[in-house]
Amino acid sequence: MTSSPTDSSFPRRPAVGRRAVLGAAAAASAPALLGLSAPASAAPASASSAATPAAAPSPRKRPRALPGGGDLGPNVIVFDPSTPGIQAKLDEVFKKQESAQFGTGRYALLFKPGTYHGLNAQIGFYTSIAGLGLSPDDTTINGDVTVDAGWFDGNATQNFWRSAENLAIVPVSGTNRWAVAQAAPFRRMHVRGGLNLAPDGYGWASGGYIADSRIDGQVGPYSQQQWYTRDSAIGGWLNGVWNMVFSGVEGAPAQSFPDPPYTTLDTTPVSREKPFLYLDGGDYRVFLPEKRTNARGVTWGNGTPRGTSLPLSQFYVAKPGVTAATLNQALAQGLHLLLTPGIYHLDQPVQVNRADTVVLGLGYATLIPDNGVTALKVADVDGVRLAGFLIDAGPVNSATLLEVGPQGASADHSANPTTVQDVFIRIGGAGPGKATTSMVINSRHTIVDHTWVWRADHGDGVGWETNRADYGVRVNGDDVLATGLFVEHFNKYDVQWYGQRGRTIFFQNEKAYDAPNQAAIQNGSVKGYAAYKVADSVTAHEGWGLGSYCYYNVDPSIVQHHGFAAPDTAGVMFHHLLVVSLSGNGQYEHVINDTGSPTSGTSTVPSTVVSYP
């Protein structure tokens, strides 16, 4: 890097090689590590049936009621300030996970309230670190929670699937490093200092997402191509490369797109923070933050946070190897689901039918449909919370992987919406996978708050037809809000929006790298499928801070007519759009519909539209 790290113009670098093909990192299932068990608490058994006359056939026995609560399994590792060898245990997990991009290890590192000294928690793949207090300030690490890119020669564009939540950090140098790409949320964190989002050496980076966090010092994105920050407070923001979006952020830079490329909304229209595990004395509970409208700033720091909580005894604590039938039995009993770290194979959909059900994953718990089923379906009910897990497509094509609401869902959920938070979907990469449409949102008022829906461009089981996935996200429901929408590499449309009054704040996309030729992506008379398509029937829709990139490295002569397509009507509005050709591997003719300049040769410079129409 030639620019000074403090140069506010830093750096407008291309993302060539952003997803260089890697062999799938083989990793055996991680051995059991130190864990702390939560006390078991049995749910009441169902009443036994009355005796039947001797002449009648014996009634079928009801399945024994599943217990709520229980231990959190071997890959949830719980520390308190007196735990010996904390740094050694952190290093042991990181050694397993540092480069295990497509491995099977899954870990949650949980810290009881208190103060910890001299730690550097390096966070690798499929690893979550979190405090167990009601407030981030209940759990303070005098040290660092670090993501860097030494494993990939200083390139941070593949630092996926990891998270930090609910901790206060006092960085050793005054600045904490969190150099991540997609699917790596930084939630409910308090950094008593600055935050550096770039890898050591300021190599390429492609993130990212911050929510409900306070960074006392300056945030330096440096080489980060794009970033979304929601409902937080920051001491300052250093620079922008292509697309930096803020909503409800105290201390955010002023609106200035495209130079610098800041999209700043004073508030977030509707938000409800992700559920989280915490300790109430010696008992585990799950806190459910309340919904906010026109939200700004963090939800914590002024007394007890607003919301409700549930005891662990009301959750079925699932372990890898459990069947979909057992998960559905637990849900039918009225239990919520806590998915402990690991991989869950499903031969039928997990069916959430009850209002206000919570499905919370720890340590990137991963659901895999084995026989072409949908992994998870939600009924058209109020207040379901899906959070913190990964869905990995199986080798038999699934029509869908996640469905929120059945087709035709129409109930009004404005008072108590369903939220989908840190739920990530992957097709290919860890092995062959196929899905026609990955995520379908049918229920009205759903909030999709940070997702990465990814048809893999590297790893195992990757190829134009090998991991075929035509559509990423389809929104049929009205009044849906997406905050932090990352959708990449689908064979046809990445996002299709049919619902009325939809809103998206921040969108990041790359078109599929591996299209073999122009004919393979031809959409009738249109060259290529838009990254984000609003249906012609829609009369009201709005988006802020949306970007699409192309890197057609198999056939660099491919032309994409536009990144965005929408009906020309007064109620459909976009603010701050951009398209980028990465080093001339493919070109865009326009930004949205027939508006916007073409991308320019081999120059990796965005073509922008400030407002449309």
Side-chain angles (χ1 to χ4, degrees), residues 220-274:
Y222 301 107
S223 53
Q224 284 287 358
Q225 295 158 349
Q226 67 277 320
W227 200 276
Y228 175 50
T229 307
R230 179 183 61 73
D231 299 350
S232 294
I234 60 177
W237 191 272
L238 179 62
N239 71 287
V241 177
W242 293 338
N243 191 29
M244 302 285 155
V245 179
F246 309 83
S247 68
V249 178
E250 298 169 356
Q255 173 68 53
S256 59
F257 187 89
D259 189 21
Y262 298 151
T263 296
T264 303
L265 284 69
D266 190 56
T267 61
T268 304
V270 188
S271 66
R272 190 174 69 190
E273 299 303 329
K274 177 177 174 282

Side-chain angles (χ1 to χ4, degrees), residues 274-277 286 315 337-339 358-362 385 387-388:
K274 177 177 174 282
F276 62 92
L277 192 67
V286 173
F315 284 79
L337 296 183
L338 185 72
L339 305 173
V358 180
V359 180
L360 177 61
L362 300 179
R385 304 184 195 226

Side-chain angles (χ1 to χ4, degrees), residues 33-105:
L33 295 176
L34 172 68
L36 180 74
S37 297
S41 178
S46 57
S48 59
S49 57
T52 56
S58 297
R60 181 176 297 173
K61 290 184 178 179
R62 295 183 183 180
R64 180 176 297 176
L66 295 167
D71 74 89
L72 301 179
N75 284 19
V76 175
I77 306 164
V78 182
F79 304 102
D80 66 46
S82 66
T83 301
I86 296 177
Q87 187 64 56
K89 188 59 65 176
L90 296 173
D91 292 346
E92 178 186 338
V93 173
F94 179 64
K95 184 177 180 180
K96 296 175 187 297
Q97 300 304 114
E98 179 182 11
S99 58
Q101 180 171 182
F102 298 112
T104 56

Side-chain angles (χ1 to χ4, degrees), residues 346-349 368-375 377 391-403 425-428 431-440 455 461 463-472 474 490-492:
L346 307 174
D347 62 358
Q348 61 180 278
I368 302 178
D370 286 331
N371 53 357
V373 300
T374 299
K377 294 184 177 183
I391 298 175
D392 217 345
V396 178
N397 185 75
S398 293
T400 59
L401 294 171
L402 172 65
E403 292 181 17
I425 295 179
R426 177 173 68 193
I427 302 95
K434 292 185 177 183
T436 304
T437 306
S438 292
M439 181 185 294
V440 179
R455 176 182 167 265
W464 185 248
E465 297 295 343
T466 306
N467 62 329
R468 182 84 194 186
D470 282 352
Y471 308 109
R474 178 175 290 169
F490 286 84
N491 295 75
K492 293 184 178 179

Side-chain angles (χ1 to χ4, degrees), residues 10 154 257 303 494 607:
F10 182 96
F257 187 89
D494 298 277
S607 175

